[in-house]
Every structure is written in C-alpha cells, then in structure tokens.
C-alpha cells in the first residue's frame, strides 16, 4: 500500500504539477502557491521529513501517526492541527476511521487512518472550481471537513431506520425471534460512537469562526458556519435517537409486563374451569357406602350438567371481564 | 403552483404597487421604500436572480432552497438569514414545515416549505397598520415570526389534551383496547419535534435584542422580546409535557404490576378453595378394604360438611386479607 | 366587581389622599409624591388612559391585560414591568393567580388576576411604617413581591405534608384503597406549577440587585436580596419534593414486586402441600385387582400417616425458608 | 439557658479580658483590638443593642434570629453575614443546626441555633496560637467554618457505612426482616439535607477568595481555599452516595425479579412432578368395566414404576436446566 | 522503608550529583540548577525542613502529608501545588494512590502515597533526553503527570473488558452462577473512583495553559495540552462505561422479565395438558350406579383416545402460538 495518496502544487486554484514527497526540495512553499498532500496511514519515517520541512510540532505528528484521538483543533504556532472521526455504514455495521489535517500558510496535509472514503473526489471537485480553490488552504480544509460531515448523514439515516424498525417490531409484537437486547446494545454503542465523533465539531467550527486561528481567512468563515450547522443538526438527531432507544427499552419492558398479565389471567381462568369438574368428580368418586346421589337414576347426568353449567358460567364471566 | 405568492413595494407603511419578480429592474431598493417578497418552495432558477440582485450569500440561498435546517439566525454581511420551523395540527397529527427569511435594509424575502399556513393574513394585518409597517423590514420579520410562534400554541394545546386524555384513560383503567405504547411513542416524537422547533428561538431573539444585527432597529427590540417570552412559555410547556409522558409510562408500569398482584392473589385464593375438596375427596376415593369412615352412616355428609366449612373459612380469610 | 381596588397618593411615606382613577388630571406625578394604584382584572378600556398617562408600553399593557405570562422582569424605557405568579392552598388544592406591576419614578400600578389574596394588608402594613414607605416605589414593589413569596411557603408546607403522608401510607402498606397514581400525578403537576412560579424569581431579583434597573435604588437592594434568598429556599424544597415524589413511585414499585414474591411463595407452598395428598390418594384410588396395600389391615391409616408426615415436613421446610 | 456563651476582647492574638454584653460601652471597637462574641439562640431583645452598636442590617439580624436559612454569604456595607448549617450524628440519626456569623473590622459575632457542638474548643485552640489569632476576625471566621466543615466528615462516614451495610445486606439476601424502603427513604432525606448544607459552601469560599469582601485579608485566603477543598470533597462523596442509593434500589428490584423467576421455576417443576402421578392415577381410577390393565397381575406395579420413571426423568431434566 | 526515593541536582538537563536531603545546605537553589526530590509517604518531620527551605505553605504541606485530597492545582505565592490520584489494576482490582507535587523555580518535589508505580522510570527517561530536561521543572511536572495519566489507560481497558464480558454473559444467558449484582456494584464504584481521579484534570491543565501559573513556561504549554487531551479521552470512556453499566442493569431486568414470561407460558401450557386427563378421568372415576359409558365395550379406549386427542391438539396450539 502506498502511503502517499496524492501530492500536488496549486497556483491560482489550478494544479501546477504533481510533487514527489521524497524530494523535499520540491516541498518549498512559494508565494501564491499551495501544496496539498494526502497520506494514508503513513509510517513514522515518512512523516519525519514533512515535520522538519513544515515545522510541525512533535506532539501533533505523534497524534497524526498514532491516531485514536478525539476530534479536536489545536494551534501550534502557525500551524493548525485538526482531528476528525470518519464513519461509514458498511454491511450493516458502523465502520469508524480517523483523519487529521495539518494546515499552514501555503500547505495542507491530510493523514487518513482506518476505514474511510478516499478524498480523491474532494480533490477533483475542488480542481473543478478554481475560483474557490484559489481561496487557499482554509477552503480545502472546509471541503474535506464538509465531505467527512456529509458522510455522517447516511450513517445516522441507517441508525434511524434501524431504531424505527425495531420499535415497530416491538409494538407489533414481531420481535419474538430476535435478540433485541443485543440489537439495542449495539445501537447504543454506535450512537455513542457517533456522538463522540460529532459532539466536538461545533466547538471546533466556532473556534475557526470566532477566534484568530492561523491560515483561516475571514471570507471562508461562512463555510465553517455551514459545517457548524450540519454538526448541530446531527447532534439533535443523535440525541433524539438516544432518547428513543431509551424509551424503546421502557416500552419493551412495559409490553412484557402487560403480556405477563394476560398470560396470568388466561392461566387462572382455564385452571379454574378445569379445577371445578375435577373437584366435583372427586367428590362423587368417594367410596362411602351411603351416598344417596350415586343411586339416583339421573345422578350422573345431573352432575355432568352441573359441571357444564358451572364451566360455561365461569367462561362467560372470564370472557366478560377480559381475562379470556 | 406559482412559487411567487406575493411581491410588493411599500413606502411609509403603505403599499405602492405590486412588483413582477421577473423584472429585476423593479427590484431596485430605493431610499424610503421597502420590498416584501413571499415565495413558496421556489426553484433554484427562481432564487438565482434574487441572489444576485440582493447580494445574498450562496450558502444561505442553498439553505433556503433545500430546507431541512434547524431554526437559526445567521448574519451574512448586511443580510440577516433566519430559519424557523412552522407547525400545525392537521387531522389529529402534527404537520411540520419550514420558513426562512432574508432581511436587509429595504427588503424582506420569505421562503416557505412544507405544510404551513399562508402569510397572506400577516401581510393584510400589516397593511392595516401603516404606522407600524413603516418601522420597516424588522417589523415585518417580527410580524411573521410572531405569526409562526402563535401557531405553535394550538399544537401544544392539542398535545396537552392528548397527554391528559391518555393519563386519565390509564388511571381509570380504560386503556385495555388502545395501543398505548404507540400513542406514547408518537407523543414523544411530536414533543421532540416541537422542542427542536422552539428551543433555538430564545437565543435567536436574544441575538436580535442584544447584539448588533443588521437591519434590526432599537425600537423593534421590545417586539422580539415578546416572541422571546412566548418561546419560553412554549418551552416550559413542552418540557412539562415531556416529563408527564415519562411519568405516564411509569404509572402504567406500576398499574400493570399492581393488577398483576391482584390477579395472582385471586388465582391463589380460588386455587386453594378448589384444591381442598379435591384432596379430601381423593382420600375417600381410595380403595382400601379397611376404611371405617366409609361405612359410617353420615360419613359422606360429614365429609361434605367439613369441605364446605373449610372452604367458607378460607373464603372468609381471603376476603378479610383483601386477596378476594 | 370594581376593578379599582385602591388608588392613593403618598408623600414622605404618608398617605395624602385617595385618587379617582377616572380623573386623569389627578394622576400627574409631582416631585416627592408617589401614586400607588391597585387594579383587579381590569378591562382594556380601564388600562388605556393609564397607558397614555404613564407612558406604558403597549406590549406590557397587553401582558397585563391578558395574563398567562411566566414570571419575568422587563424594562421598557423608564418603566419596569414585573410579572409574578401567586398561589394559595384552597380546600386541599393549589389555586394559582397572576399579578403584574408597572413601576416608574413616582408610581406603582399592580394588576391582579385569578385567585390571589388582596394586597390591602400590604398597603396597611406599609402605611404603618412611613419611614420605610418613603423609600418610594421600589420599596412598595419589594413589599408586594415579599407578600407574594411569603404566601408560597404554606403551599409548599401543604405539599410536603401530602408527600410525607403518602410515603408513610405506602411504606406501612396502608394505601390499598387509595388512588395513589392520581395522587402522585396531581402532586407532580402542582410541584411543576410551583416550580414555574418560583424558578424565574432568583434571576428577577438578581437583575434588580446587580443591574441598573429604572426606579430601583441602591438602599432597597438588600430587600430584594432577601426575596432572592426566599426564592432559593423555595426552589430547594420544591426540587427535594420532586425527587421524593419520584422515589415514592420507585418505592411503591419495589414494594409491589416484593409482595408479589411473597404471594408467589405462599401460593407455591400451599399448592405443594395440597398436591401431595391428592397424588397419593389418587394412586390408592386406582382400581387394579392386584394392589396388595389395599387389603392391609392398617393400609389406610398408614397412608394417612404418610400424607400427614409429608405435609408436616413440607410445612416445616417452607416455614424455615421463609416461604410461609 | 444563658444566651451569651462567651464574649471577650483580644489584642495581638491574646485575650485581654472578658466583656459583659450588657455594658454596651465595653463594646467599643478600639484600634488593634478584636471583640469575639458567641451567642446561643439569643432573644430579639438581646440582639437589638448589638445591632445598634455594630451597625448590623435589620434583614441580617432577622435571619440570625429566625434561623432556617440556606448557607449563604451576604455583604451589608462593611459587615459580612455568613450562614452555615451544622450537623452531627447523634444516636444513629442526623441532627441539624444552624450558625451565623457577623464579621466586621474588629469584631465577630457567632449565633448558634439547634443541635450543634459548642465553639468553646475553637476558641481555646485559637487562644493557643496567638500568632495566628492576631490575623484578626477573618481568621476566627475561618477557624469556626473549618470546625463546622470538619464535623460534616463523621456524618458522611456514618451515612457511607449505612449505605454499604444496606447494600451488603441486599446482595447477600439478608434483608428479609428489615424495612429497607424506609431505610432508603431516610438515607435519601439525610443525603439531601447534607447536600443542602454543603452545596453552597464552595461558592461562599470562592467569594471570600476572589472578590473584595470586607474584613477578609489577602493572607487568610489560602485558609478559605482549604475549606473550599473540603467542601468539594464532601460534595463528591455526597453525590457518590446519592448515586449508590439510587443503584441500591435498582439492585433490590433486580434481585426481587430474579428471585421471582427462581420461585416460578421451582413451582412449575414441582407442580409438573406431582401432576403426572395424579393424572395417571386418575386414569386407572376410572370405573370402566373393560379396562384390561386393571386385571394384569403386575399392572399396579407397572404403573407405579412408570410414574417413578417419569418423575425421575422430569427431576433430572429440571435439575439439568437449572429450574431446580 | 526509606522515604527519600531520590534526590538529585541537574544542570542543563544533565544530572550533576545526588543530594542528601538531610543536609539542607545542599538544598540551595543556584541559578541554572534544578533540584528534583522524590519522596514516598514521608513523615511530618521529614517535610518540615523542606517547608522552611523552599518556603512551602503550611496548608499545602499538610495536604501532602495527610493525602486523601481531590486532584487539584493550587498556587501559593511562587509555588505550585498539584495533587493527582494514581491508579493501577492489581490482581483484578483497582488500586488507588495519590501523588502531589511542589513546583517552584529551580525545584520539584514529588510526594507519593498508597499504591502507585515508582517514578524512577520517568526520571531515567528524562535523564536520557537532556535537551528536554533542560526545559526545567515544568517539563518534569509534565513528565510525571503524563506518566500518571498514561497509567490510567490500562485500568480503563480492564474495566471496559469487564463490562463487555459481563454484558456478553447476560445477553447469552451465561450469568446464572455469578453474583452479577456485586459485580455491577464494584464496577460502579471503580468507575466513580476513576471519574473522581480524572474529572478535575482538564481544568488543572487548562489553568497551566491559560493562566499565569508560576514556574510554567510558554514552551511547555503544548505538553500540558497533550495531557488535557488524554484526560478528555479518558472522561469520554469513563462516561460511556458508566452509561453502559446502567444499561446493563436495564438489560438484565428486561431479560429476567422476558424469561419469566416464557416460564409462565410453559407452566400454563403443561398445566393445561395435565389437567385435562385429570378432569376427564375424575369424571369416569365417579361411582354413580347409572353411568352407561362405563359398560361400553370400548368406553375405556374411547376415553383414552379422547384424552390423547385433546392433549395433542393443545400441544399443537401451544406450539404454534409459541408458548412451548
Ligand atoms: Mg442526552
Ligand atoms: Mg436529551
Ligand atoms: Mg436532547
Ligand atoms: Mg432526556
Ligand atoms: Mg439523554
Ligand atoms: Mg427537561
Ligand atoms: Mg425538568
Ligand atoms: Mg429532558
Ligand atoms: Mg423543566
Ligand atoms: Mg425533563
Ligand atoms: Mg428519569
Ligand atoms: Mg431537579
Ligand atoms: Mg428535575
Ligand atoms: Mg434536584
Ligand atoms: Mg436540586
Ligand atoms: Mg437532583
Ligand atoms: Mg430531580
Ligand atoms: Mg429516573
Ligand atoms: Mg447530582
Ligand atoms: Mg449525580
Ligand atoms: Mg442530582
Ligand atoms: Mg456526580
Ligand atoms: Mg452523574
Ligand atoms: Mg448519573
Ligand atoms: Mg445523581
Ligand atoms: Mg434514571
Ligand atoms: Mg454522565
Ligand atoms: Mg456522556
Ligand atoms: Mg450521559
Ligand atoms: Mg442518560
Ligand atoms: Mg451518566
């Protein structure tokens, strides 16, 4: 696997030429030029020359190499270091990745980890609108962050669908043969992961918009406010889903209890209807010498009739009171 | 469907004439004049000339075209962009829509999406009070926002009524034949939707009141404080309803458990009263050769009496202890 | 019903004379004088001349007329507009009302709605301490707000007593014949109403103390801090009660489950003790030709003895393990 | 009961002489001197002369006389007024009291209400370290507050022990004969009371440390930070206990349900094992003329054997599946 | 046990020589030199000379001696006092300790309490990078805090594993023979302890980064931001675990209820299938003289057949409806 996905220099929003990352002398930042480097799970050795060339801070490089960070924005001198979680819905499961960006005047380096879509399509889209790409490295940062955030939406859609499908199954009592506890547990874990991915984004965008972050120009601020907006919409949906999942558990619990009640009542009703003939028959099964009814001509039929009448009466009462 | 609902120019609070949105030269903002445009789900092509004419930001126009935003207020240069959710109670269901406003010195454009009432009545009411309409575009914004917020109240009233009716049904045990779980789930969803519609409003109003938002004058501030107030009252009611719905679930659960207890006790009591004759009769149904009681003259009647006495004693005990 | 409860002019803390609200020329605010007007559910026509005379804002007057506001403090130019909820405990139920105040240099107008105590006693108490009344309209505002807040305490006392009585009844299992679910639901609603009445008060007092609110002098600040204090004590008690009510539901639920367990165990124990003789007797009730025990001299008594021994053994075991 | 517990004047950290509170002329604050007065539930008449002498605010004196305040710090001109809750663990119960302090340049007055330890020991400890006592009235305030806060710890220890003992009893199923619901309810009430006592302390200390509070010098700030620290540790422990109590209820509920399950299974298993012989015996107890098995030589023994085999098989199955 | 673990003086990032803590004259801070002292549960007598030598505040020394503090950062004049909780996973249990640091220009003193790893490895690692060690006492503070925080991760890993293992066991119903209530209770206690250890860290780091804390230089700020980051990641994981533990209890409860339902249904089904032959046989066990069926040739076999048919029909119905 080649770790250098792409590396090119742009001028006035148009690609000038591809660069070879191994030739550091090509990496010189010239006025009016913009170097855009895309890396995929690079080795420590690959990052070292870039660190020297662009003056990246060792702690930021360590984070970029090791991954497993929370989404964050950090300023090291003239460099902005941004970490984001990426996510996709693959084969019915949530697949997480991580991307970080080094941004400074004249360059942007993206470092991708884990499962995530390539940023080739973002690069192509940017190259198609030179008028915007010439806004510089902050616009590229926006384009990449926007791409990542846009990819959260289908995941949330999928989770929403799963929650709704599960809720429907529980309400319509179609969940007998499903392991709904695991399903709920997985949903909770996925929603928590999504929340950890999205929750820090509004603050990150606010910092870019409100404070003096290096390399971020005033005219790209509305773009980051757009991401801020998307992040808030996502947070609302995630929180709503979390609440719904919680209430699904309560609903299932209530449903189980209501069913239990029904079963208990049915059990009680039928038990009563079978216990009555048993008890009466038991009495006429006694072996006393002197039991006048036994010799009555229609004694047997009378008793049978009494049993039937009692059982029908019970049945009617239970039916009426809703136990059957 | 015509997307241009209305378009007119006002001067000193009085309508001067209707404008044709397709004649951009009519859209020139003259000193002392005010253009008020109302659109309904416009196409992208319809918005483009307005964007150029009034210098609207592309991201705001995109939001206005696509809808599905959270309520928000954004400032783009001299333009204020406001998004609000609209809602109505239609055929016993919550119907949601979205409206956004572009407001700048001398113009206001409203863009309506989804199910929502026409703003014609607002326009008429404004035209009837030229003394207020001459306050300008910020007063129109107030009038429209106030109209939207006023329409939240009947929805909350309807939800409140539903919650109370449901609570009553559960307490009086009249909910046997209702799918209360779905009803609760729908109530939760509706309340969540209302909350998402209302929750951002206090902040939006505060921003208009406290900060320097373009086109918003000092003398219209009390009006927005009035909306702020309404939004807070709505939020209180929504939160109270959410809490009540939660406690309704707890109540139902408790009621189910208490009923279960009752059923169990009744079942136990009747089981005992039928098991006693069965056991005793079983004993005298044994076929031992030497069972003296069998030959007693009143053996049978004695046993019958014993059974009746025991059963009555049990009945009395169960009655007294509340099991029956 | 006369809407003008009282209207008088004060000078140096002493009443000068009563005024007739219909003679607007009497309503002129003179230096060193203080007009105190008390209204009860006034009509819109009654409020209009006061609005003109004292320069009240139309939105405030609308709130004062319509009522159904949240407690709040609003500044309109030189006028302070304060809304408070009033409450009383009438015939074992919470009765809510609303009062609002217009305060400006030289005047205070109170407008009372719904069930609430008259402010006559406050006026009398104030007139008895001219040294304090001469502090002016802010002191009257304090005296009225203090009166309202003092009337919250007996209500909270009553609610506390109800909650404790209910908790006691549940713990001592004396709640069989009560509709505890409705009782809890009503308690929750009342506590929520009290919370809505009290929660905004600390902020209102803080604004009077900390910020430059018209007509509020420095030397009355400690008085409003006293109301602030009371409001906080009330909030603590309300929140504690809300928590207790929540835990009462949990306790009842737990108690129901524990009782259920007991019933189940008793049922199981007695079922076993009756099923054993039934089964054994059933066996010796079979009609096989060759059943040697049947012809034993003491077969019957042996079997009876075995049954008694088994039942006693079971009884002793169940007793020891706490099932009986 | 004498309300004046102690009253003395100090100079340079050493006691000069005791004062008689009834001789107001002795109460004059001289430069370099410090008057320390300790009162116990004083009458209103006793407080009046002190109010005049030290210029205390009437509202503060009212609070000091009436008690039932929340912990708070209030500044009235040059005087600081501090209220604290005191608590002790007496005979296995929480005993609450209240103490307030008036502190100004050259004097400190403590007013003690309800159950609380005497501050004599604090006075003695202070008199033993003149080097510290000469820091003045703010150091005495610290010493007294520190004493009160130190007395919270054994109470929290006792509550912690109770919670742990209760949790242990529930987990080991040793709680059959205890009224755990009342125990939990009392624990909740006590924890809530402790929380109300402790929660305002961090803010009170912060105000002394951060803001310009009269009579509080810079060099005593670290002492109040120490109290701040203790208050935070207490709050953490109280909150943790509250959470544990909540989870104890959940645990008990879960345990009850799990036991219920066990009982149900045992009941079901034994019911099955007794119902089988009953049913089979019933069949051979029928009185049909033509029942060939009845005349078989070993019919009876065969049936007995079948019953035993079926019961053993059932027993083994139930045992294996954990129902028995 | 020797309380002085290590004591040395450094210059330019390189160790100059070991010092003897008992020779106070060696403890003089020279320009360009750095004294690093490591103590392990020192006696009060050992701390006293250091207090005098470095001018440590008595309250800080008291905290350092007594331990049982919350994590905190306090500034006393030119000295920074930092307290941290240390933790390890020893023999499947959480072992807690405490360390505090005194940091001033030219010195750092660490005081270790309870179970915690020695800081020898940190010292060695620092001595290996003189280029960093020469940054001074703030870098050492970072190195030690980073070491402590890094040691939190394996503990959280262990807790996470335990929670997941427990969840799996519950979902797959493999938890019959475990005391899951105690396990959950211990997990809750451990997570609470971890939370108390980690929660104050972000604030501590922020104070070092944002405010003017003595002895903390600008160029070590990114290092403390790195700890800040780790603390936030830990907090996220702790909170997620706490939530998961809560949902595990809910899941277990739901599972118990669902199983209960199953048992009830099975019990009801089998009870019905055994009660039917019992009742029918009871009827033909009656001793009436005139019971025509008894004399039918195939009466017995017919009844047997009827019983079998009814039982099979019931079995099939119960099977189909999922009760069996
Ligand atoms: Mg949440
Ligand atoms: Mg939420
Ligand atoms: Mg939410
Ligand atoms: Mg919630
Ligand atoms: Mg939530
Ligand atoms: Mg809420
Ligand atoms: Mg709430
Ligand atoms: Mg909520
Ligand atoms: Mg609320
Ligand atoms: Mg709520
Ligand atoms: Mg809750
Ligand atoms: Mg609360
Ligand atoms: Mg609450
Ligand atoms: Mg609370
Ligand atoms: Mg509270
Ligand atoms: Mg609370
Ligand atoms: Mg609460
Ligand atoms: Mg709860
Ligand atoms: Mg809490
Ligand atoms: Mg808490
Ligand atoms: Mg709480
Ligand atoms: Mg907590
Ligand atoms: Mg918590
Ligand atoms: Mg919590
Ligand atoms: Mg809590
Ligand atoms: Mg909860
Ligand atoms: Mg949490
Ligand atoms: Mg959380
Ligand atoms: Mg949480
Ligand atoms: Mg939660
Ligand atoms: Mg939580």
């Amino acid at each position: 696997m080649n770790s250098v996905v792409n590396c090119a220099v742009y001028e006035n929003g148009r690609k000038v030429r591809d660069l070879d990352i191994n030739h550091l002398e090509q990496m010189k930042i010239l006025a009016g030029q913009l170097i855009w480097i895309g890396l995929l799970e690079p080795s420590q050795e690959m990052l070292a020359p870039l660190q020297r060339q662009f003056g990246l801070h060792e702690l930021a490089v360590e984070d970029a190499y090791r991954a497993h960070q929370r989404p964050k924005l950090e300023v090291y001198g003239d460099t902005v270091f941004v970490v984001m979680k990426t996510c996709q819905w693959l084969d019915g499961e949530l697949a997480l990745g991580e991307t970080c960006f080094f941004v400074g005047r004249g360059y942007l380096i993206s470092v991708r980890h884990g499962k995530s879509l390539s940023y080739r399509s973002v690069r192509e889209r940017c190259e198609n609108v030179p008028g915007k790409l010439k806004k510089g490295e902050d616009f590229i940062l926006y384009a990449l962050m926007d791409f990542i955030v846009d990819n959260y939406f289908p995941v949330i859609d999928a989770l929403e669908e799963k929650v709704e499908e599960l809720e429907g199954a529980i309400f319509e009592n179609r969940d007998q043969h499903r392991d709904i506890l695991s399903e709920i547990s997985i949903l909770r874990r996925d929603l928590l992961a999504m929340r950890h991915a999205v929750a820090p984004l509004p603050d990150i965008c606010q910092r870019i918009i409100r404070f003096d972050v290096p390399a971020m120009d005033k005219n790209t601020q509305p773009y980051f406010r757009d991401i801020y907006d998307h992040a808030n919409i996502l947070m609302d949906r995630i929180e709503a889903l979390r609440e719904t999942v919680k209430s699904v558990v309560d609903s299932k619990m209530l449903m189980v209890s209501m069913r239990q009640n029904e079963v208990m009542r049915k059990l009680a009703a039928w038990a009563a209807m079978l216990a009555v003939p048993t008890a009466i028959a038991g009495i006429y099964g006694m072996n006393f010498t002197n039991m006048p009814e036994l010799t009555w001509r229609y004694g047997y039929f009378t008793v049978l009739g009494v049993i039937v009448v009692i059982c029908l009466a019970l049945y009617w009462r239970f039916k009426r009171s809703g136990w059957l």
Side-chain angles (χ1 to χ4, degrees), chain A:
Chain A
M1 186 179 65
N2 191 345
S3 287
V4 185
V5 172
N6 221 315
C7 179
V9 63
Y10 297 84
E11 199 168 337
N12 258 320
R14 278 168 214 289
K15 187 167 173 178
V16 179
R17 69 176 174 285
D18 281 315
L19 298 181
D20 182 347
I21 203 171
N22 298 312
H23 292 259
L24 272 187
E25 72 283 1
Q26 297 187 1
M27 295 285 138
K28 205 158 275 171
I29 303 167
L30 301 173
Q33 286 196 341
L34 169 59
I35 297 172
W36 180 354
I37 303 170
L39 305 177
L40 174 60
E41 295 182 352
S43 64
Q44 227 167 342
E45 298 75 43
M46 171 163 279
L47 286 171
L50 292 174
Q51 178 180 353
R52 278 190 302 277
Q53 179 65 22
F54 295 109
L56 311 178
H57 196 280
E58 56 165 329
L59 290 169
V61 172
E62 197 185 281
D63 284 353
Y65 170 64
R66 282 212 194 143
H68 299 297
Q69 302 298 312
R70 311 173 73 215
K72 65 176 172 177
L73 176 150
E74 285 180 336
V75 175
Y76 293 94
D78 299 328
T79 312
V80 183
F81 179 63
V82 177
V83 180
M84 287 186 78
K85 294 279 176 196
T86 58
C87 64
Q88 284 175 274
W89 195 250
L90 285 178
D91 310 324
E93 290 201 347
L94 178 63
L96 290 166
E98 193 174 315
T99 293
C100 60
F101 306 103
F102 296 93
V103 192
R105 281 281 164 226
Y107 68 93
L108 181 142
I109 305 164
S110 72
V111 181
R112 193 147 66 80
H113 290 271
K115 289 195 175 147
S116 79
L117 296 171
S118 158
Y119 300 132
R120 195 175 309 268
S121 66
V122 183
R123 196 181 280 261
E124 280 162 13
R125 235 183 306 147
C126 284
E127 290 174 352
N128 287 335
V129 283
K132 284 193 172 154
L133 185 49
K134 81 178 171 195
K135 284 173 198 270
E137 56 284 347
D138 47 353
F139 184 79
I140 300 178
L141 178 66
Y142 155 73
L144 289 164
M145 286 178 68
D146 184 54
F147 177 75
I148 291 172
V149 169
D150 282 352
N151 280 316
Y152 292 156
F153 282 89
V155 174
I156 298 291
D157 290 343
L159 289 171
E160 228 159 40
E161 210 175 295
K162 267 185 107 174
V163 171
E164 273 167 25
E165 196 274 331
L166 183 65
E167 211 182 14
I170 286 173
F171 289 172
E172 293 160 24
N173 215 17
R174 288 184 285 100
D175 60 323
Q176 315 305 333
H177 303 294
R178 293 170 66 168
D179 188 355
I180 63 155
L181 284 178
S182 312
E183 287 186 52
I184 286 170
S185 168
I186 290 166
L187 274 170
R188 271 180 170 147
R189 208 166 303 166
D190 287 353
L191 284 168
L192 210 51
M194 286 306 294
R195 198 176 168 231
H196 285 160
V198 178
L201 286 186
D203 270 356
I204 291 173
C205 294
Q206 288 283 2
R207 276 194 66 195
I208 297 178
I209 298 166
R210 295 224 182 121
F211 303 101
D212 202 40
V213 171
M216 301 294 128
D217 298 318
K218 187 129 201 160
N219 68 340
T220 43
Q221 286 181 5
Y223 294 96
F224 288 99
R225 204 164 55 187
D226 196 58
I227 296 179
Y228 170 83
D229 236 55
H230 280 69
N232 277 322
I233 292 170
L234 284 164
M235 272 311 283
D236 277 0
R237 289 178 66 187
I238 291 169
E239 285 304 303
L241 275 176
R242 276 164 55 87
E243 239 177 68
T244 308
V245 168
K246 218 176 201 168
S247 75
V248 161
V249 175
D250 291 359
S251 297
K252 178 65 191 169
M253 190 76 199
L254 185 49
M255 179 146 268
V256 167
S257 293
M258 290 191 297
R259 301 261 140 196
Q260 178 99 323
N261 250 4
E262 268 175 53
V263 171
M264 284 297 303
R265 286 173 179 182
K266 273 206 181 121
L267 170 60
W270 286 111
M273 281 191 287
L274 283 165
V276 163
T278 306
I280 292 174
I283 283 166
Y284 292 104
M286 293 193 291
N287 299 320
F288 284 98
T289 321
N290 179 22
M291 284 177 72
E293 302 95 316
L294 295 182
T295 56
W296 292 357
R297 183 149 191 202
Y298 298 109
Y300 169 53
F301 302 103
T302 310
V303 165
L304 274 193
V306 166
I307 286 173
V308 167
V309 165
I310 291 180
C311 285
L312 285 178
L314 284 174
Y315 185 82
W316 176 76
R317 257 194 84 167
F318 286 130
K319 202 77 189 176
R320 208 192 44 174
S321 66
W323 286 37
L324 278 177

